[in-house]
Amino acid sequence: ENVLPSLALALLRQGQAQKLVDEFGGTQLQDPTAQAALRASVGHAWLLRGEVKPAAEAFAAAVLAQPDNASAQLGRARIAAHESRLDDATALTDAALKSDPRLVEGHVFKSQLLMARDQRPSAIESLEKALAADGSYLPARLALASLLIDAKDLEKAQTLLGAVGPAGKDPRVQFLLSLLAVRQNDLGKARDALGGVLTAAPEYGAAPTHTPPKPTSRPLTRFSPSANTVRLSNRPSPSASSKINTRSRPLPSGARIG
């Protein structure tokens, strides 16, 4: 039964929330640590579906089994942020990271909370901690690159995006490369990168293929509750009084990083 939490987490990071809920939603394990990990993953899956009540119940079950379960604490933080309780969200996120300093999703979510308070340097530091914990975690790399582009630290953003490895063809990477090229006044390169976005994710074809995206003064990434997907958006970053998103529009099949 100790294998089941790992299987559930794998489904969660692949964005297969419905499958996770269908297969493990009612599963109960005898080992408290395994039970907590499984219920926490189920809770995050419910959040991906936009179902806050069953998510809260799953997180409560996880905490009952293991009070210091970091993933469940993070789930509760996301619910608090969804309800505009940013102080509670911050405290719960800090508690999660104290329980597990290598919880990469926790560092990424904390960066969102910090940006909601316009604390950009601290948000960048939090994302750097996420990459230090797991350099392969693409959402953290994308978020940090977006902030660096916004701060006009183009050389560092270029280095960050250039180190994505096999994920380089991901449309989210291509989108940021397009924006970076615009900031570097290389419109040809921007057009090529944007073409990669439209090839991998045709639904973003609302933007004319012959026109590179216009620069924006705000970061262009948003995160799902599990922090395993990034939504491309040029809407303003949330203010301290706004809600942190609990869902994001997933990219089409094949565009995820599993």
Side-chain angles (χ1 to χ4, degrees):
E1 70 175 21
N2 289 333
V3 176
L4 296 185
S6 296
L7 293 175
L9 181 60
L11 288 174
L12 182 65
R13 289 194 165 183
Q14 292 168 7
Q16 299 188 51
Q18 185 61 58
K19 185 176 181 179
L20 196 165
V21 169
D22 290 343
E23 293 191 8
F24 300 112
T27 302
Q28 302 293 325
L29 304 179
Q30 294 300 314
D31 180 76
T33 300
Q35 168 72 354
L38 181 61
R39 301 322 301 165
S41 289
V42 170
H44 287 294
W46 279 119
L47 278 186
L48 273 174
R49 289 171 40 83
E51 301 284 350
V52 175
K53 186 175 184 294
E57 292 171 350
F59 294 137
V63 171
L64 182 64
Q66 184 186 23
D68 63 346
N69 182 274
S71 183
Q73 291 171 320
L74 179 60
R76 286 181 155 180
R78 288 189 169 120
I79 291 176
H82 172 70
E83 296 171 348
S84 298
R85 295 183 288 112
L86 296 191
D87 288 341
D88 290 343
T90 299
L92 286 164
T93 302
D94 288 341
L97 290 172
K98 183 177 181 180
S99 295
D100 182 3
R102 296 186 61 81
L103 183 65
V104 62
E105 296 91 345
H107 289 296
V108 171
F109 188 67
K110 185 171 182 178
S111 76
Q112 284 187 293
L113 295 173
L114 290 165
M115 283 302 297
R117 300 179 186 275
D118 292 325
Q119 297 178 17
R120 183 181 300 269
S122 296
I124 289 176
E125 181 181 352
S126 187
L127 290 169
E128 290 173 339
K129 288 180 180 178
L131 289 177
D134 184 356
S136 68
Y137 193 65
L138 187 60
R141 188 172 297 271
L142 294 172
L144 181 55
S146 177
L147 289 178
L148 292 172
I149 292 171
D150 186 57
K152 298 183 173 59
D153 193 346
L154 304 185
E155 183 176 349
K156 190 171 181 179
Q158 182 76 60
T159 299
L160 199 66
L161 291 172
V164 296
K169 294 187 182 299
D170 187 286
R172 298 165 294 180
V173 174
Q174 292 295 313
F175 181 85
L176 288 181
L177 286 172
S178 173
L179 178 63
L180 179 61
V182 170
R183 296 291 176 88
Q184 294 170 331
N185 296 316
D186 189 342
L187 299 188
K189 187 175 180 180
R191 188 177 296 112
D192 290 343
L194 187 58
V197 175
L198 299 175
T199 298
E203 72 270 27
Y204 291 111
T209 58
H210 62 278
T211 304
K214 295 180 180 180
T216 174
S217 61
R218 291 290 186 176
L220 298 179
T221 53
R222 297 291 181 84
F223 296 87
S224 72
S226 65
N228 72 319
T229 59
V230 176
R231 179 172 62 185
L232 304 180
S233 169
N234 60 2
R235 285 181 287 182
S237 298
S239 65
S241 61
S242 65
K243 293 183 179 180
I244 303 293
N245 287 346
T246 58
R247 285 195 294 175
S248 69
R249 178 160 57 105
L251 292 174
S253 176
R256 292 184 182 278
I257 301 299

